[in-house]
PDB file of all heavy atoms in Angstrom:
ATOM      1  N   GLU A 232     -29.715   0.680-131.765  1.00  0.00           N
ATOM      2  CA  GLU A 232     -29.082   0.761-133.077  1.00  0.00           C
ATOM      3  C   GLU A 232     -29.417  -0.509-133.899  1.00  0.00           C
ATOM      4  O   GLU A 232     -29.672  -0.500-135.015  1.00  0.00           O
ATOM      5  CB  GLU A 232     -27.525   0.941-132.997  1.00  0.00           C
ATOM      6  CG  GLU A 232     -27.158   2.215-132.548  1.00  0.00           C
ATOM      7  CD  GLU A 232     -27.289   2.430-130.955  1.00  0.00           C
ATOM      8  OE1 GLU A 232     -27.519   1.421-130.313  1.00  0.00           O
ATOM      9  OE2 GLU A 232     -27.320   3.550-130.623  1.00  0.00           O
ATOM     10  N   THR A 233     -29.332  -1.628-133.216  1.00  0.00           N
ATOM     11  CA  THR A 233     -29.600  -2.878-133.897  1.00  0.00           C
ATOM     12  C   THR A 233     -31.087  -3.005-134.231  1.00  0.00           C
ATOM     13  O   THR A 233     -31.517  -3.488-135.384  1.00  0.00           O
ATOM     14  CB  THR A 233     -29.346  -4.148-132.911  1.00  0.00           C
ATOM     15  OG1 THR A 233     -28.087  -4.105-132.515  1.00  0.00           O
ATOM     16  CG2 THR A 233     -29.546  -5.488-133.588  1.00  0.00           C
ATOM     17  N   ILE A 234     -32.049  -2.478-133.414  1.00  0.00           N
ATOM     18  CA  ILE A 234     -33.394  -2.502-133.869  1.00  0.00           C
ATOM     19  C   ILE A 234     -33.621  -1.695-134.966  1.00  0.00           C
ATOM     20  O   ILE A 234     -34.392  -1.937-135.942  1.00  0.00           O
ATOM     21  CB  ILE A 234     -34.258  -1.764-132.590  1.00  0.00           C
ATOM     22  CG1 ILE A 234     -34.265  -2.787-131.489  1.00  0.00           C
ATOM     23  CG2 ILE A 234     -35.556  -1.534-133.077  1.00  0.00           C
ATOM     24  CD1 ILE A 234     -34.747  -2.102-130.129  1.00  0.00           C
ATOM     25  N   ALA A 235     -32.967  -0.400-135.130  1.00  0.00           N
ATOM     26  CA  ALA A 235     -33.124   0.553-136.311  1.00  0.00           C
ATOM     27  C   ALA A 235     -32.600  -0.249-137.438  1.00  0.00           C
ATOM     28  O   ALA A 235     -33.203  -0.052-138.604  1.00  0.00           O
ATOM     29  CB  ALA A 235     -32.344   1.741-136.004  1.00  0.00           C
ATOM     30  N   GLU A 236     -31.534  -1.025-137.354  1.00  0.00           N
ATOM     31  CA  GLU A 236     -30.927  -1.588-138.417  1.00  0.00           C
ATOM     32  C   GLU A 236     -31.861  -2.796-139.116  1.00  0.00           C
ATOM     33  O   GLU A 236     -31.968  -3.041-140.286  1.00  0.00           O
ATOM     34  CB  GLU A 236     -29.610  -2.358-138.264  1.00  0.00           C
ATOM     35  CG  GLU A 236     -28.465  -1.341-138.035  1.00  0.00           C
ATOM     36  CD  GLU A 236     -27.220  -2.004-137.219  1.00  0.00           C
ATOM     37  OE1 GLU A 236     -27.209  -3.041-137.222  1.00  0.00           O
ATOM     38  OE2 GLU A 236     -26.429  -1.188-137.145  1.00  0.00           O
ATOM     39  N   LEU A 237     -32.684  -3.300-138.148  1.00  0.00           N
ATOM     40  CA  LEU A 237     -33.549  -4.483-138.555  1.00  0.00           C
ATOM     41  C   LEU A 237     -34.838  -3.975-139.166  1.00  0.00           C
ATOM     42  O   LEU A 237     -35.556  -4.764-139.825  1.00  0.00           O
ATOM     43  CB  LEU A 237     -33.808  -5.344-137.339  1.00  0.00           C
ATOM     44  CG  LEU A 237     -32.635  -6.327-136.995  1.00  0.00           C
ATOM     45  CD1 LEU A 237     -32.882  -7.015-135.652  1.00  0.00           C
ATOM     46  CD2 LEU A 237     -32.496  -7.325-138.120  1.00  0.00           C
ATOM     47  N   LEU A 238     -35.208  -2.641-138.923  1.00  0.00           N
ATOM     48  CA  LEU A 238     -36.413  -2.189-139.386  1.00  0.00           C
ATOM     49  C   LEU A 238     -36.282  -2.050-140.862  1.00  0.00           C
ATOM     50  O   LEU A 238     -35.334  -1.698-141.493  1.00  0.00           O
ATOM     51  CB  LEU A 238     -36.780  -0.790-138.698  1.00  0.00           C
ATOM     52  CG  LEU A 238     -37.165  -0.833-137.340  1.00  0.00           C
ATOM     53  CD1 LEU A 238     -37.243   0.552-136.683  1.00  0.00           C
ATOM     54  CD2 LEU A 238     -38.564  -1.533-137.009  1.00  0.00           C
ATOM     55  N   PRO A 239     -37.498  -2.306-141.506  1.00  0.00           N
ATOM     56  CA  PRO A 239     -37.454  -2.184-143.076  1.00  0.00           C
ATOM     57  C   PRO A 239     -37.074  -0.764-143.496  1.00  0.00           C
ATOM     58  O   PRO A 239     -37.540   0.141-142.921  1.00  0.00           O
ATOM     59  CB  PRO A 239     -38.868  -2.499-143.450  1.00  0.00           C
ATOM     60  CG  PRO A 239     -39.667  -2.489-142.242  1.00  0.00           C
ATOM     61  CD  PRO A 239     -38.724  -2.627-141.135  1.00  0.00           C
ATOM     62  N   LYS A 240     -36.342  -0.604-144.564  1.00  0.00           N
ATOM     63  CA  LYS A 240     -35.966   0.538-145.130  1.00  0.00           C
ATOM     64  C   LYS A 240     -36.769   0.891-146.256  1.00  0.00           C
ATOM     65  O   LYS A 240     -37.034   0.201-147.180  1.00  0.00           O
ATOM     66  CB  LYS A 240     -34.467   0.603-145.555  1.00  0.00           C
ATOM     67  CG  LYS A 240     -33.470   0.056-144.436  1.00  0.00           C
ATOM     68  CD  LYS A 240     -33.405   0.989-143.206  1.00  0.00           C
ATOM     69  CE  LYS A 240     -32.319   0.649-142.316  1.00  0.00           C
ATOM     70  NZ  LYS A 240     -32.396  -0.619-141.721  1.00  0.00           N
ATOM     71  N   ASN A 241     -37.147   2.234-146.362  1.00  0.00           N
ATOM     72  CA  ASN A 241     -37.787   2.711-147.444  1.00  0.00           C
ATOM     73  C   ASN A 241     -37.635   4.323-147.256  1.00  0.00           C
ATOM     74  O   ASN A 241     -37.388   4.856-146.290  1.00  0.00           O
ATOM     75  CB  ASN A 241     -39.325   2.460-147.571  1.00  0.00           C
ATOM     76  CG  ASN A 241     -40.151   2.891-146.567  1.00  0.00           C
ATOM     77  OD1 ASN A 241     -40.501   4.117-146.472  1.00  0.00           O
ATOM     78  ND2 ASN A 241     -40.461   2.116-145.551  1.00  0.00           N
ATOM     79  N   PRO A 242     -37.807   5.100-148.342  1.00  0.00           N
ATOM     80  CA  PRO A 242     -37.632   6.591-148.412  1.00  0.00           C
ATOM     81  C   PRO A 242     -38.345   7.178-147.380  1.00  0.00           C
ATOM     82  O   PRO A 242     -37.989   8.082-146.739  1.00  0.00           O
ATOM     83  CB  PRO A 242     -37.826   7.006-149.842  1.00  0.00           C
ATOM     84  CG  PRO A 242     -37.636   5.817-150.654  1.00  0.00           C
ATOM     85  CD  PRO A 242     -38.108   4.561-149.803  1.00  0.00           C
ATOM     86  N   VAL A 243     -39.681   6.893-147.212  1.00  0.00           N
ATOM     87  CA  VAL A 243     -40.623   7.593-146.336  1.00  0.00           C
ATOM     88  C   VAL A 243     -40.142   7.288-144.865  1.00  0.00           C
ATOM     89  O   VAL A 243     -40.146   8.196-144.207  1.00  0.00           O
ATOM     90  CB  VAL A 243     -42.086   7.129-146.610  1.00  0.00           C
ATOM     91  CG1 VAL A 243     -43.028   7.812-145.577  1.00  0.00           C
ATOM     92  CG2 VAL A 243     -42.603   7.603-147.981  1.00  0.00           C
ATOM     93  N   MET A 244     -39.865   6.052-144.659  1.00  0.00           N
ATOM     94  CA  MET A 244     -39.499   5.788-143.227  1.00  0.00           C
ATOM     95  C   MET A 244     -38.314   6.405-142.917  1.00  0.00           C
ATOM     96  O   MET A 244     -38.052   6.895-141.769  1.00  0.00           O
ATOM     97  CB  MET A 244     -39.493   4.203-143.111  1.00  0.00           C
ATOM     98  CG  MET A 244     -39.299   3.670-141.689  1.00  0.00           C
ATOM     99  SD  MET A 244     -40.735   4.177-140.733  1.00  0.00           S
ATOM    100  CE  MET A 244     -40.282   3.477-139.114  1.00  0.00           C
ATOM    101  N   SER A 245     -37.194   6.409-143.845  1.00  0.00           N
ATOM    102  CA  SER A 245     -35.970   7.031-143.430  1.00  0.00           C
ATOM    103  C   SER A 245     -36.285   8.585-143.105  1.00  0.00           C
ATOM    104  O   SER A 245     -35.619   8.979-142.288  1.00  0.00           O
ATOM    105  CB  SER A 245     -34.953   6.887-144.514  1.00  0.00           C
ATOM    106  OG  SER A 245     -35.320   7.420-145.647  1.00  0.00           O
ATOM    107  N   LYS A 246     -37.131   9.140-143.879  1.00  0.00           N
ATOM    108  CA  LYS A 246     -37.303  10.509-143.585  1.00  0.00           C
ATOM    109  C   LYS A 246     -38.092  10.630-142.232  1.00  0.00           C
ATOM    110  O   LYS A 246     -37.834  11.610-141.454  1.00  0.00           O
ATOM    111  CB  LYS A 246     -38.253  11.300-144.652  1.00  0.00           C
ATOM    112  CG  LYS A 246     -37.565  11.647-145.795  1.00  0.00           C
ATOM    113  CD  LYS A 246     -37.051  13.058-145.608  1.00  0.00           C
ATOM    114  CE  LYS A 246     -36.538  13.752-146.749  1.00  0.00           C
ATOM    115  NZ  LYS A 246     -37.398  14.378-147.510  1.00  0.00           N
ATOM    116  N   THR A 247     -38.973   9.751-142.012  1.00  0.00           N
ATOM    117  CA  THR A 247     -39.695   9.876-140.788  1.00  0.00           C
ATOM    118  C   THR A 247     -38.981   9.572-139.592  1.00  0.00           C
ATOM    119  O   THR A 247     -39.257  10.098-138.534  1.00  0.00           O
ATOM    120  CB  THR A 247     -40.990   8.779-140.803  1.00  0.00           C
ATOM    121  OG1 THR A 247     -41.673   8.882-141.999  1.00  0.00           O
ATOM    122  CG2 THR A 247     -41.887   8.926-139.642  1.00  0.00           C
ATOM    123  N   ILE A 248     -37.929   8.746-139.593  1.00  0.00           N
ATOM    124  CA  ILE A 248     -37.006   8.665-138.493  1.00  0.00           C
ATOM    125  C   ILE A 248     -36.426  10.036-138.266  1.00  0.00           C
ATOM    126  O   ILE A 248     -36.092  10.415-137.064  1.00  0.00           O
ATOM    127  CB  ILE A 248     -35.885   7.578-138.875  1.00  0.00           C
ATOM    128  CG1 ILE A 248     -36.694   6.241-138.755  1.00  0.00           C
ATOM    129  CG2 ILE A 248     -34.787   7.743-137.779  1.00  0.00           C
ATOM    130  CD1 ILE A 248     -35.751   5.085-139.249  1.00  0.00           C
ATOM    131  N   VAL A 249     -36.034  10.703-139.178  1.00  0.00           N
ATOM    132  CA  VAL A 249     -35.431  12.205-139.041  1.00  0.00           C
ATOM    133  C   VAL A 249     -36.530  12.969-138.304  1.00  0.00           C
ATOM    134  O   VAL A 249     -36.322  13.817-137.435  1.00  0.00           O
ATOM    135  CB  VAL A 249     -34.877  12.679-140.268  1.00  0.00           C
ATOM    136  CG1 VAL A 249     -34.577  14.193-139.969  1.00  0.00           C
ATOM    137  CG2 VAL A 249     -33.731  12.027-140.797  1.00  0.00           C
ATOM    138  N   PHE A 250     -37.789  12.772-138.745  1.00  0.00           N
ATOM    139  CA  PHE A 250     -38.894  13.598-138.172  1.00  0.00           C
ATOM    140  C   PHE A 250     -39.276  12.961-136.973  1.00  0.00           C
ATOM    141  O   PHE A 250     -40.446  12.429-136.764  1.00  0.00           O
ATOM    142  CB  PHE A 250     -40.014  13.635-139.246  1.00  0.00           C
ATOM    143  CG  PHE A 250     -41.235  14.514-138.855  1.00  0.00           C
ATOM    144  CD1 PHE A 250     -40.992  15.497-137.950  1.00  0.00           C
ATOM    145  CD2 PHE A 250     -42.473  14.231-139.400  1.00  0.00           C
ATOM    146  CE1 PHE A 250     -42.212  16.431-137.581  1.00  0.00           C
ATOM    147  CE2 PHE A 250     -43.567  15.099-139.033  1.00  0.00           C
ATOM    148  CZ  PHE A 250     -43.391  16.068-138.113  1.00  0.00           C
ATOM    149  N   ASN A 251     -38.389  13.037-135.911  1.00  0.00           N
ATOM    150  CA  ASN A 251     -38.581  12.304-134.586  1.00  0.00           C
ATOM    151  C   ASN A 251     -38.343  13.317-133.431  1.00  0.00           C
ATOM    152  O   ASN A 251     -37.101  13.413-133.161  1.00  0.00           O
ATOM    153  CB  ASN A 251     -37.913  11.032-134.540  1.00  0.00           C
ATOM    154  CG  ASN A 251     -38.033  10.382-133.213  1.00  0.00           C
ATOM    155  OD1 ASN A 251     -38.747  10.807-132.396  1.00  0.00           O
ATOM    156  ND2 ASN A 251     -37.297   9.221-133.014  1.00  0.00           N
ATOM    157  N   PRO A 252     -39.267  14.131-133.010  1.00  0.00           N
ATOM    158  CA  PRO A 252     -38.961  15.070-131.890  1.00  0.00           C
ATOM    159  C   PRO A 252     -38.134  14.417-130.731  1.00  0.00           C
ATOM    160  O   PRO A 252     -37.385  15.091-130.071  1.00  0.00           O
ATOM    161  CB  PRO A 252     -40.275  15.586-131.513  1.00  0.00           C
ATOM    162  CG  PRO A 252     -41.144  15.354-132.660  1.00  0.00           C
ATOM    163  CD  PRO A 252     -40.642  14.037-133.245  1.00  0.00           C
ATOM    164  N   LEU A 253     -38.388  13.104-130.490  1.00  0.00           N
ATOM    165  CA  LEU A 253     -37.785  12.592-129.356  1.00  0.00           C
ATOM    166  C   LEU A 253     -36.292  12.292-129.583  1.00  0.00           C
ATOM    167  O   LEU A 253     -35.586  11.977-128.555  1.00  0.00           O
ATOM    168  CB  LEU A 253     -38.527  11.268-129.019  1.00  0.00           C
ATOM    169  CG  LEU A 253     -39.963  11.273-128.482  1.00  0.00           C
ATOM    170  CD1 LEU A 253     -40.485   9.935-128.263  1.00  0.00           C
ATOM    171  CD2 LEU A 253     -39.995  12.173-127.227  1.00  0.00           C
ATOM    172  N   SER A 254     -35.837  12.251-130.839  1.00  0.00           N
ATOM    173  CA  SER A 254     -34.354  12.115-131.028  1.00  0.00           C
ATOM    174  C   SER A 254     -33.639  13.523-130.772  1.00  0.00           C
ATOM    175  O   SER A 254     -32.392  13.596-130.821  1.00  0.00           O
ATOM    176  CB  SER A 254     -34.179  11.729-132.437  1.00  0.00           C
ATOM    177  OG  SER A 254     -34.485  12.770-133.350  1.00  0.00           O
ATOM    178  N   LEU A 255     -34.392  14.590-130.391  1.00  0.00           N
ATOM    179  CA  LEU A 255     -33.738  15.899-130.272  1.00  0.00           C
ATOM    180  C   LEU A 255     -34.015  16.424-128.875  1.00  0.00           C
ATOM    181  O   LEU A 255     -35.054  16.161-128.248  1.00  0.00           O
ATOM    182  CB  LEU A 255     -34.424  16.870-131.292  1.00  0.00           C
ATOM    183  CG  LEU A 255     -34.215  16.642-132.708  1.00  0.00           C
ATOM    184  CD1 LEU A 255     -35.148  17.617-133.530  1.00  0.00           C
ATOM    185  CD2 LEU A 255     -32.878  16.740-133.221  1.00  0.00           C
ATOM    186  N   PRO A 256     -32.972  17.087-128.264  1.00  0.00           N
ATOM    187  CA  PRO A 256     -33.123  17.516-126.947  1.00  0.00           C
ATOM    188  C   PRO A 256     -34.118  18.660-126.934  1.00  0.00           C
ATOM    189  O   PRO A 256     -34.748  18.906-125.923  1.00  0.00           O
ATOM    190  CB  PRO A 256     -31.718  17.940-126.573  1.00  0.00           C
ATOM    191  CG  PRO A 256     -30.913  18.157-127.877  1.00  0.00           C
ATOM    192  CD  PRO A 256     -31.604  17.135-128.840  1.00  0.00           C
ATOM    193  N   THR A 257     -34.267  19.369-127.976  1.00  0.00           N
ATOM    194  CA  THR A 257     -35.187  20.566-128.079  1.00  0.00           C
ATOM    195  C   THR A 257     -35.879  20.539-129.352  1.00  0.00           C
ATOM    196  O   THR A 257     -35.250  20.576-130.459  1.00  0.00           O
ATOM    197  CB  THR A 257     -34.444  21.882-127.861  1.00  0.00           C
ATOM    198  OG1 THR A 257     -33.846  21.818-126.435  1.00  0.00           O
ATOM    199  CG2 THR A 257     -35.263  22.962-127.846  1.00  0.00           C
ATOM    200  N   TYR A 258     -37.198  20.707-129.341  1.00  0.00           N
ATOM    201  CA  TYR A 258     -37.894  20.692-130.634  1.00  0.00           C
ATOM    202  C   TYR A 258     -39.031  21.825-130.622  1.00  0.00           C
ATOM    203  O   TYR A 258     -39.774  21.862-129.563  1.00  0.00           O
ATOM    204  CB  TYR A 258     -38.599  19.344-130.810  1.00  0.00           C
ATOM    205  CG  TYR A 258     -39.504  19.153-131.888  1.00  0.00           C
ATOM    206  CD1 TYR A 258     -39.066  19.056-133.264  1.00  0.00           C
ATOM    207  CD2 TYR A 258     -40.905  19.097-131.795  1.00  0.00           C
ATOM    208  CE1 TYR A 258     -39.883  18.893-134.353  1.00  0.00           C
ATOM    209  CE2 TYR A 258     -41.754  19.029-132.791  1.00  0.00           C
ATOM    210  CZ  TYR A 258     -41.246  18.789-134.041  1.00  0.00           C
ATOM    211  OH  TYR A 258     -42.086  18.732-135.165  1.00  0.00           O
ATOM    212  N   VAL A 259     -38.992  22.539-131.646  1.00  0.00           N
ATOM    213  CA  VAL A 259     -39.941  23.779-131.575  1.00  0.00           C
ATOM    214  C   VAL A 259     -40.650  23.788-132.960  1.00  0.00           C
ATOM    215  O   VAL A 259     -40.068  23.960-133.983  1.00  0.00           O
ATOM    216  CB  VAL A 259     -39.286  25.051-131.261  1.00  0.00           C
ATOM    217  CG1 VAL A 259     -40.268  26.269-131.287  1.00  0.00           C
ATOM    218  CG2 VAL A 259     -38.555  25.017-129.949  1.00  0.00           C
ATOM    219  N   MET A 260     -42.066  23.823-132.914  1.00  0.00           N
ATOM    220  CA  MET A 260     -42.789  24.056-134.106  1.00  0.00           C
ATOM    221  C   MET A 260     -42.784  25.591-134.284  1.00  0.00           C
ATOM    222  O   MET A 260     -43.333  26.347-133.364  1.00  0.00           O
ATOM    223  CB  MET A 260     -44.158  23.446-133.955  1.00  0.00           C
ATOM    224  CG  MET A 260     -44.377  22.063-134.038  1.00  0.00           C
ATOM    225  SD  MET A 260     -46.100  21.670-134.067  1.00  0.00           S
ATOM    226  CE  MET A 260     -45.932  19.858-134.315  1.00  0.00           C
ATOM    227  N   ALA A 261     -42.458  26.072-135.473  1.00  0.00           N
ATOM    228  CA  ALA A 261     -42.510  27.460-135.769  1.00  0.00           C
ATOM    229  C   ALA A 261     -43.946  27.824-136.532  1.00  0.00           C
ATOM    230  O   ALA A 261     -44.146  27.223-137.490  1.00  0.00           O
ATOM    231  CB  ALA A 261     -41.395  27.854-136.587  1.00  0.00           C
ATOM    232  N   LYS A 262     -44.625  28.708-136.083  1.00  0.00           N
ATOM    233  CA  LYS A 262     -45.756  29.200-136.671  1.00  0.00           C
ATOM    234  C   LYS A 262     -45.590  30.400-137.463  1.00  0.00           C
ATOM    235  O   LYS A 262     -45.503  31.640-137.041  1.00  0.00           O
ATOM    236  CB  LYS A 262     -46.919  29.637-135.518  1.00  0.00           C
ATOM    237  CG  LYS A 262     -47.002  28.541-134.471  1.00  0.00           C
ATOM    238  CD  LYS A 262     -47.974  27.484-135.117  1.00  0.00           C
ATOM    239  CE  LYS A 262     -48.286  26.349-133.856  1.00  0.00           C
ATOM    240  NZ  LYS A 262     -49.283  25.351-134.399  1.00  0.00           N
ATOM    241  N   THR A 263     -45.474  30.151-138.863  1.00  0.00           N
ATOM    242  CA  THR A 263     -45.002  31.271-139.640  1.00  0.00           C
ATOM    243  C   THR A 263     -46.022  32.381-139.866  1.00  0.00           C
ATOM    244  O   THR A 263     -45.712  33.576-140.154  1.00  0.00           O
ATOM    245  CB  THR A 263     -44.396  30.806-140.978  1.00  0.00           C
ATOM    246  OG1 THR A 263     -45.612  30.156-141.585  1.00  0.00           O
ATOM    247  CG2 THR A 263     -43.415  29.676-140.848  1.00  0.00           C
ATOM    248  N   ILE A 264     -47.304  31.938-139.727  1.00  0.00           N
ATOM    249  CA  ILE A 264     -48.284  32.973-140.073  1.00  0.00           C
ATOM    250  C   ILE A 264     -49.323  32.947-138.921  1.00  0.00           C
ATOM    251  O   ILE A 264     -50.511  33.290-139.109  1.00  0.00           O
ATOM    252  CB  ILE A 264     -49.002  32.543-141.349  1.00  0.00           C
ATOM    253  CG1 ILE A 264     -49.879  33.654-141.902  1.00  0.00           C
ATOM    254  CG2 ILE A 264     -49.857  31.128-141.253  1.00  0.00           C
ATOM    255  CD1 ILE A 264     -49.138  34.735-142.611  1.00  0.00           C
ATOM    256  N   GLY A 265     -48.906  32.526-137.681  1.00  0.00           N
ATOM    257  CA  GLY A 265     -49.699  32.467-136.501  1.00  0.00           C
ATOM    258  C   GLY A 265     -50.813  31.438-136.803  1.00  0.00           C
ATOM    259  O   GLY A 265     -50.635  30.326-137.281  1.00  0.00           O
TER     260      GLY A 265
END
């Protein structure tokens, strides 16, 4: 948590942190059109 707090903040990075499969117990890419 402390590491995350110290990392620089910007809109892209904050979104990218959400886009982190390792933070989720299960992650599935969905192929909408195969």
Side-chain angles (χ1 to χ4, degrees):
E232 290 76 17
T233 304
I234 292 168
E236 288 170 4
L237 286 169
L238 289 171
K240 305 298 191 298
N241 67 78
V243 174
M244 189 60 181
S245 61
K246 270 281 188 83
T247 306
I248 289 171
V249 174
F250 184 25
N251 177 6
L253 292 180
S254 69
L255 300 172
T257 298
Y258 175 77
V259 180
M260 281 186 180
K262 308 283 184 174
T263 63
I264 198 75

